[in-house]
Amino acid sequence: MIHRKHLLISLFVLLSGFVQAQTTRATPARPNVLFILSDDHSTPFLGCYGNPDLKTPHIDRLAREGVRFNQAFTAAPQCVPSRAALLTGRNVLAVDMLRFSSALPKENVTFLELMRKDGYFTGICGRPYHLDGSGTHDETKKVMAELGLITFPDRVDFLREGPDATVTSVVDEFIQKVPANKPFVLWANYSNPHRPFTDTALTPDTAKITIPNALPDTKSVRRDLAGHYGEIQKLDQNIGELWKMLEGRKLLDNTIIVFMGDNGAALLRGKGTLYRCGLNIPLLVRYPPKVKKGIVSDVLISGIDVAPTLLDLVGTKPNAEMEGKSFAQALQGQETELHPYIFAVRGPHASGLPRNSAVFDLSRTVFNKNYKLIYNPMWQIPYEPVDFHGSPWWKELQQQGKDGKLEPRFSQTVLFTPTRPMFELFDLRKDPDEFVNLAGNPAYKEVEDDLKKALHRWMIINRDVVPLPVAQ
């Protein structure tokens, strides 16, 4: 009897340990991280940012249950350099990613790798992530393979590209592969709302949508914007499926969820430009243990701040090279100043020859909450929009501008002029849509000089090859 009693006690202890181990595997002590990027997505193009024509309840849920940032800006208005800055916490020039077809150099460490070294199971899925070369032709691919420049298969534990419709199932597959008692970090990429705009079933009535102040109100612009909205609403549907899966696996409360755009929308004065629409992106963060619900923050954030913030939240030490600052305090509603200035750069786009500014431009910008300076070293080249400069509706709009059929504030901007000003200066408090160029205005000379000096210094520190903005 005594022997049997001891045997039963031993079995009970073993079973208790097994149950405890299983529970520990299901809920690791450290939080998981899900970093979601939409493609070509500006503010205010979500319901939670006050857009009346967009129905995005699933993305809006993040804003209700977390923090919505109004003043988040990417480090470049293009996907490749912007994503490089997001992943490394460093500016585009510092990580040698100005050229669109570049592969991220191996020595530039990402937050995924730092978390991996610190015990996290890491992954990337969805739309091509762009950091092993993007849009490259056969000759470029040949050179990259020869020199061993494709590195991401070795940087993470799981790598699976695919269309938006498969993201939820691939995320689920990834979660099933996470080892017991290990937290995970996953970078999930969506193609929407990138052009072409094909989700016609979700496109709103073009006659009923409200045209933002930054865009001219024409039939062609309305059709194009409505198509953009259809892509965003399809994105929201896909994210709704992702939430259901995460809820089913009881992962929402122990997962830091970050949603943001990789760069601005491919609209007029958007993607490929350093105007607000090219850089100002939605940024939403949800994590119940450390993020207050329903906060709206106006903290000025750069794309380089995302990596150090995620590392801060999970307790992983950042690299000394990271320039970005953690905005974890803002997740509790504290208004803090991370940077006196924000910088962003424009470089080559795609892999074409430099026949227009859509393909090749070298503009730079520096700004704070009040003022913004744009430096156009290639001022002789006229504006051409990225991703739609060859479209019939853009040609139609150009003709309307030449014929004086648009409001003066549009026809007099760089949209339709044969050259651009070398410097553009905007008072963001009075002119948030950046139409009135104050460069050379004596009343703003001190402001202009201050921003030029700040940009001058930053370009020297980062060994920028573009001529410096302060004349010798």
Coordinates of all heavy atoms in Angstrom, one line a residue, residues 238-296:
N238 N -9.0 41.4 -45.1 CA -8.0 40.4 -44.8 C -7.5 40.5 -43.4 O -7.2 39.4 -42.8 CB -6.8 40.6 -45.8 CG -7.1 40.2 -47.2 OD1 -7.9 39.2 -47.4 ND2 -6.6 40.8 -48.2
I239 N -7.4 41.7 -42.9 CA -6.9 41.8 -41.5 C -8.0 41.3 -40.5 O -7.7 40.7 -39.5 CB -6.5 43.2 -41.2 CG1 -5.1 43.5 -41.9 CG2 -6.3 43.5 -39.7 CD1 -4.4 44.7 -41.7
G240 N -9.2 41.4 -40.9 CA -10.3 40.8 -40.1 C -10.2 39.3 -39.9 O -10.4 38.8 -38.9
E241 N -9.8 38.7 -41.0 CA -9.5 37.2 -41.0 C -8.3 36.9 -40.0 O -8.4 35.9 -39.3 CB -9.2 36.7 -42.4 CG -10.4 36.8 -43.3 CD -10.1 36.3 -44.7 OE1 -8.9 35.9 -44.9 OE2 -10.9 36.4 -45.6
L242 N -7.3 37.8 -40.1 CA -6.2 37.6 -39.2 C -6.5 37.7 -37.8 O -6.1 36.9 -36.9 CB -5.1 38.6 -39.6 CG -3.8 38.5 -38.9 CD1 -3.1 37.2 -39.1 CD2 -2.8 39.7 -39.3
W243 N -7.4 38.7 -37.4 CA -7.8 38.8 -36.0 C -8.5 37.6 -35.5 O -8.3 37.1 -34.4 CB -8.7 40.0 -35.9 CG -8.2 41.4 -36.0 CD1 -8.9 42.5 -36.1 CD2 -6.8 41.8 -36.1 NE1 -8.0 43.6 -36.2 CE2 -6.7 43.2 -36.2 CE3 -5.6 41.1 -36.1 CZ2 -5.6 43.9 -36.3 CZ3 -4.4 41.8 -36.2 CH2 -4.4 43.1 -36.3
K244 N -9.4 37.0 -36.4 CA -10.2 35.8 -36.0 C -9.3 34.7 -35.7 O -9.4 33.9 -34.7 CB -11.2 35.4 -37.1 CG -12.4 36.3 -37.3 CD -13.3 35.8 -38.4 CE -14.4 36.8 -38.6 NZ -15.3 36.3 -39.7
M245 N -8.2 34.5 -36.5 CA -7.3 33.4 -36.2 C -6.5 33.6 -34.9 O -6.4 32.7 -34.1 CB -6.3 33.3 -37.4 CG -5.4 32.1 -37.4 SD -3.9 32.5 -36.4 CE -3.1 33.6 -37.5
L246 N -6.1 34.9 -34.7 CA -5.3 35.2 -33.5 C -6.2 35.0 -32.2 O -5.7 34.5 -31.2 CB -4.8 36.6 -33.6 CG -3.7 36.9 -34.6 CD1 -3.4 38.3 -34.7 CD2 -2.4 36.1 -34.3
E247 N -7.4 35.4 -32.3 CA -8.4 35.2 -31.2 C -8.6 33.8 -30.9 O -8.6 33.3 -29.8 CB -9.7 35.9 -31.5 CG -9.6 37.5 -31.4 CD -10.9 38.1 -31.7 OE1 -11.6 37.6 -32.6 OE2 -11.3 39.1 -31.1
G248 N -8.7 33.0 -32.0 CA -8.9 31.5 -31.8 C -7.8 30.9 -31.1 O -8.0 29.9 -30.4
R249 N -6.6 31.4 -31.4 CA -5.4 30.9 -30.7 C -5.1 31.6 -29.4 O -4.0 31.3 -28.8 CB -4.2 30.9 -31.7 CG -4.3 30.0 -32.8 CD -3.0 29.8 -33.6 NE -3.1 28.7 -34.5 CZ -2.8 27.5 -34.2 NH1 -2.5 27.1 -33.0 NH2 -2.9 26.5 -35.1
K250 N -6.0 32.5 -29.0 CA -5.8 33.2 -27.7 C -4.5 33.9 -27.6 O -3.8 33.8 -26.6 CB -6.0 32.2 -26.5 CG -7.4 31.5 -26.5 CD -7.6 30.7 -25.2 CE -8.9 29.9 -25.3 NZ -10.1 30.7 -25.7
L251 N -4.1 34.6 -28.7 CA -2.8 35.3 -28.7 C -2.9 36.8 -28.6 O -1.9 37.5 -28.5 CB -2.1 34.9 -30.0 CG -1.6 33.5 -30.1 CD1 -1.1 33.2 -31.5 CD2 -0.4 33.3 -29.2
L252 N -4.1 37.4 -28.7 CA -4.2 38.8 -28.8 C -3.7 39.6 -27.6 O -3.1 40.6 -27.7 CB -5.7 39.2 -29.0 CG -6.2 39.1 -30.5 CD1 -7.6 39.5 -30.6 CD2 -5.3 39.8 -31.4
D253 N -3.9 39.0 -26.4 CA -3.5 39.7 -25.2 C -2.0 39.7 -24.9 O -1.5 40.4 -24.0 CB -4.3 39.3 -24.0 CG -5.8 39.7 -24.1 OD1 -6.1 40.6 -24.8 OD2 -6.6 39.1 -23.4
N254 N -1.3 38.7 -25.5 CA 0.1 38.6 -25.2 C 0.9 38.9 -26.5 O 2.1 38.4 -26.6 CB 0.5 37.2 -24.7 CG 1.9 37.2 -24.1 OD1 2.3 38.1 -23.4 ND2 2.6 36.1 -24.4
T255 N 0.4 39.7 -27.4 CA 1.1 40.0 -28.6 C 1.0 41.5 -28.9 O 0.0 42.1 -28.9 CB 0.4 39.2 -29.8 OG1 0.4 37.8 -29.6 CG2 1.1 39.6 -31.1
I256 N 2.2 42.0 -29.1 CA 2.3 43.5 -29.5 C 2.0 43.5 -31.0 O 2.7 42.9 -31.8 CB 3.8 44.0 -29.2 CG1 4.1 43.9 -27.8 CG2 3.9 45.4 -29.7 CD1 5.6 44.0 -27.5
I257 N 1.0 44.2 -31.3 CA 0.6 44.4 -32.7 C 0.8 45.8 -33.2 O 0.3 46.7 -32.6 CB -0.9 44.0 -32.9 CG1 -1.2 42.6 -32.5 CG2 -1.3 44.2 -34.4 CD1 -2.6 42.2 -32.6
V258 N 1.6 45.9 -34.2 CA 1.9 47.2 -34.8 C 1.4 47.2 -36.3 O 1.8 46.2 -37.0 CB 3.4 47.5 -34.8 CG1 3.7 48.8 -35.5 CG2 4.0 47.5 -33.4
F259 N 0.6 48.1 -36.6 CA 0.2 48.3 -38.0 C 0.6 49.6 -38.5 O 0.4 50.7 -37.9 CB -1.3 48.2 -38.1 CG -1.9 48.5 -39.5 CD1 -2.0 47.5 -40.5 CD2 -2.2 49.8 -39.9 CE1 -2.4 47.8 -41.7 CE2 -2.6 50.1 -41.2 CZ -2.8 49.1 -42.1
M260 N 1.2 49.6 -39.7 CA 1.7 50.9 -40.4 C 1.8 50.7 -41.9 O 1.8 49.6 -42.4 CB 3.0 51.4 -39.7 CG 4.2 50.6 -40.0 SD 5.7 51.2 -39.1 CE 5.8 52.8 -39.7
G261 N 1.9 51.9 -42.6 CA 2.2 51.8 -44.0 C 3.7 51.9 -44.2 O 4.4 52.4 -43.4
D262 N 4.1 51.2 -45.3 CA 5.6 51.2 -45.5 C 6.1 52.6 -46.1 O 7.2 52.9 -45.9 CB 6.0 50.1 -46.5 CG 5.5 50.3 -47.9 OD1 4.5 51.0 -48.1 OD2 6.1 49.7 -48.8
N263 N 5.2 53.3 -46.8 CA 5.5 54.7 -47.2 C 4.1 55.2 -47.7 O 3.1 54.6 -47.6 CB 6.5 54.7 -48.4 CG 6.2 53.8 -49.5 OD1 6.8 52.7 -49.7 ND2 5.1 54.1 -50.3
G264 N 4.1 56.5 -48.2 CA 2.9 57.1 -48.6 C 2.2 56.5 -49.8 O 2.8 55.7 -50.6
A265 N 0.9 56.9 -50.0 CA 0.1 56.4 -51.1 C 0.6 56.9 -52.4 O 1.1 58.0 -52.6 CB -1.3 56.8 -50.9
A266 N 0.4 56.0 -53.4 CA 0.8 56.4 -54.8 C -0.3 57.3 -55.4 O -1.0 56.9 -56.4 CB 1.0 55.1 -55.7
L267 N -0.5 58.5 -54.9 CA -1.4 59.5 -55.3 C -0.6 60.7 -55.7 O 0.6 60.8 -55.5 CB -2.4 59.8 -54.2 CG -3.2 58.6 -53.7 CD1 -4.1 59.0 -52.5 CD2 -4.2 58.1 -54.8
L268 N -1.3 61.8 -56.1 CA -0.6 63.0 -56.5 C 0.1 63.5 -55.3 O -0.4 63.6 -54.2 CB -1.6 64.1 -56.9 CG -2.2 63.9 -58.3 CD1 -3.3 64.9 -58.6 CD2 -1.2 64.0 -59.4
R269 N 1.4 63.9 -55.5 CA 2.3 64.5 -54.4 C 2.4 63.5 -53.3 O 2.6 63.9 -52.1 CB 1.8 65.8 -54.0 CG 1.7 66.9 -55.1 CD 1.0 68.1 -54.6 NE 1.9 69.1 -54.0 CZ 1.7 69.6 -52.8 NH1 0.6 69.3 -52.1 NH2 2.6 70.5 -52.3
G270 N 2.3 62.2 -53.6 CA 2.4 61.2 -52.6 C 3.7 60.4 -52.7 O 4.8 60.9 -52.7
K271 N 3.5 59.1 -52.9 CA 4.7 58.2 -53.0 C 5.7 58.7 -54.0 O 5.4 59.2 -55.1 CB 4.2 56.8 -53.5 CG 5.3 55.8 -53.7 CD 4.7 54.5 -54.3 CE 5.7 53.4 -54.4 NZ 5.1 52.1 -55.0
G272 N 7.0 58.7 -53.6 CA 8.1 59.2 -54.4 C 8.3 60.7 -54.2 O 9.3 61.2 -54.7
T273 N 7.5 61.3 -53.4 CA 7.8 62.7 -53.1 C 8.0 62.9 -51.6 O 7.7 62.0 -50.8 CB 6.6 63.7 -53.4 OG1 5.5 63.6 -52.4 CG2 6.0 63.3 -54.8
L274 N 8.5 64.0 -51.2 CA 8.8 64.3 -49.8 C 7.7 65.2 -49.1 O 7.9 65.7 -48.0 CB 10.2 64.9 -49.6 CG 11.3 64.0 -50.1 CD1 12.6 64.8 -50.0 CD2 11.4 62.7 -49.3
Y275 N 6.6 65.3 -49.8 CA 5.4 66.0 -49.3 C 4.8 65.1 -48.2 O 5.1 63.9 -48.1 CB 4.4 66.4 -50.3 CG 5.0 67.3 -51.4 CD1 5.1 67.0 -52.7 CD2 5.4 68.6 -51.0 CE1 5.6 67.8 -53.7 CE2 5.9 69.5 -52.0 CZ 6.0 69.1 -53.3 OH 6.5 69.9 -54.2
R276 N 3.8 65.6 -47.5 CA 3.2 64.9 -46.4 C 2.6 63.6 -46.9 O 2.7 62.5 -46.3 CB 2.0 65.7 -45.8 CG 1.3 65.0 -44.7 CD 0.3 65.9 -44.0 NE 0.9 66.9 -43.2 CZ 1.3 66.8 -42.0 NH1 1.2 65.6 -41.4 NH2 1.9 67.8 -41.3
C277 N 1.9 63.6 -48.1 CA 1.3 62.3 -48.5 C 2.3 61.3 -48.9 O 2.0 60.1 -48.9 CB 0.4 62.6 -49.8 SG -0.6 61.3 -50.4
G278 N 3.5 61.7 -49.1 CA 4.6 60.7 -49.4 C 5.2 60.0 -48.2 O 5.8 58.9 -48.3
L279 N 5.1 60.7 -47.1 CA 5.8 60.3 -45.9 C 5.0 60.0 -44.7 O 5.3 59.2 -43.8 CB 6.9 61.3 -45.5 CG 8.0 61.6 -46.5 CD1 8.8 62.9 -46.0 CD2 8.9 60.5 -46.7
N280 N 3.8 60.6 -44.5 CA 3.0 60.5 -43.3 C 2.1 59.3 -43.4 O 1.2 59.2 -44.3 CB 2.1 61.8 -43.2 CG 1.4 61.9 -41.9 OD1 0.4 62.6 -41.7 ND2 1.7 61.1 -40.9
I281 N 2.4 58.3 -42.6 CA 1.7 57.0 -42.7 C 0.9 56.7 -41.4 O 1.2 57.2 -40.4 CB 2.7 55.9 -43.0 CG1 4.0 56.0 -42.1 CG2 3.1 55.9 -44.5 CD1 3.9 55.4 -40.8
P282 N -0.1 55.8 -41.6 CA -0.8 55.4 -40.4 C 0.1 54.5 -39.5 O 0.9 53.7 -40.0 CB -2.0 54.6 -40.9 CG -1.6 54.1 -42.3 CD -0.7 55.2 -42.8
L283 N 0.0 54.7 -38.2 CA 0.8 53.9 -37.2 C -0.2 53.7 -36.0 O -0.6 54.6 -35.3 CB 2.0 54.6 -36.8 CG 2.8 54.0 -35.7 CD1 3.3 52.6 -36.1 CD2 4.0 54.8 -35.3
L284 N -0.5 52.4 -35.8 CA -1.3 51.9 -34.7 C -0.6 50.9 -33.9 O 0.0 50.0 -34.5 CB -2.6 51.4 -35.3 CG -3.4 52.3 -36.3 CD1 -4.5 51.5 -36.9 CD2 -4.0 53.5 -35.6
V285 N -0.7 50.9 -32.6 CA -0.1 50.0 -31.7 C -1.0 49.5 -30.7 O -1.7 50.3 -30.0 CB 1.2 50.6 -31.0 CG1 1.9 49.5 -30.2 CG2 2.1 51.2 -32.1
R286 N -1.1 48.2 -30.5 CA -2.0 47.5 -29.5 C -1.2 46.5 -28.7 O -0.6 45.6 -29.3 CB -3.2 46.8 -30.2 CG -4.1 46.1 -29.2 CD -5.1 45.2 -29.9 NE -6.1 44.7 -29.1 CZ -5.9 43.6 -28.3 NH1 -4.8 42.9 -28.3 NH2 -6.9 43.1 -27.6
Y287 N -1.3 46.6 -27.4 CA -0.7 45.7 -26.5 C -1.2 45.9 -25.1 O -0.7 46.8 -24.4 CB 0.9 45.8 -26.5 CG 1.6 44.8 -25.6 CD1 1.2 43.5 -25.5 CD2 2.6 45.2 -24.7 CE1 1.8 42.6 -24.7 CE2 3.2 44.3 -23.9 CZ 2.8 43.0 -23.8 OH 3.4 42.1 -23.0
P288 N -2.3 45.3 -24.7 CA -3.0 45.6 -23.5 C -2.2 45.8 -22.2 O -2.4 46.7 -21.5 CB -4.0 44.4 -23.4 CG -4.3 44.0 -24.8 CD -2.9 44.2 -25.5
P289 N -1.1 44.9 -22.0 CA -0.4 45.1 -20.7 C 0.4 46.4 -20.6 O 0.6 46.9 -19.5 CB 0.6 43.9 -20.7 CG 0.0 42.9 -21.6 CD -0.7 43.7 -22.7
K290 N 0.7 47.0 -21.8 CA 1.6 48.2 -21.7 C 1.1 49.4 -22.5 O 1.7 50.5 -22.6 CB 3.0 47.9 -22.1 CG 3.8 47.0 -21.1 CD 5.2 46.9 -21.5 CE 6.0 46.0 -20.5 NZ 7.4 45.9 -20.8
V291 N -0.1 49.3 -23.2 CA -0.6 50.3 -24.1 C -2.0 50.7 -23.6 O -2.9 49.8 -23.5 CB -0.6 49.8 -25.5 CG1 -1.2 50.9 -26.4 CG2 0.8 49.5 -26.0
K292 N -2.2 51.9 -23.3 CA -3.5 52.4 -22.9 C -4.5 52.4 -24.1 O -4.1 52.6 -25.3 CB -3.4 53.8 -22.4 CG -2.8 53.9 -21.0 CD -2.9 55.3 -20.4 CE -2.3 55.3 -19.0 NZ -2.4 56.7 -18.4
K293 N -5.7 52.2 -23.9 CA -6.7 52.2 -24.9 C -7.1 53.5 -25.4 O -7.3 54.5 -24.6 CB -8.0 51.4 -24.4 CG -7.8 49.9 -24.2 CD -9.1 49.3 -23.9 CE -9.0 47.7 -23.8 NZ -10.3 47.1 -23.4
G294 N -7.3 53.7 -26.7 CA -7.9 54.8 -27.3 C -7.1 56.1 -27.2 O -7.7 57.2 -27.4
I295 N -5.8 56.0 -27.1 CA -4.9 57.2 -27.1 C -4.7 57.7 -28.5 O -4.5 56.9 -29.4 CB -3.6 56.9 -26.4 CG1 -3.8 56.5 -24.9 CG2 -2.6 58.0 -26.6 CD1 -2.5 56.1 -24.2
V296 N -4.7 59.0 -28.7 CA -4.4 59.6 -29.9 C -3.1 60.5 -29.6 O -3.2 61.4 -28.8 CB -5.5 60.5 -30.5 CG1 -5.0 61.2 -31.7 CG2 -6.7 59.7 -30.8

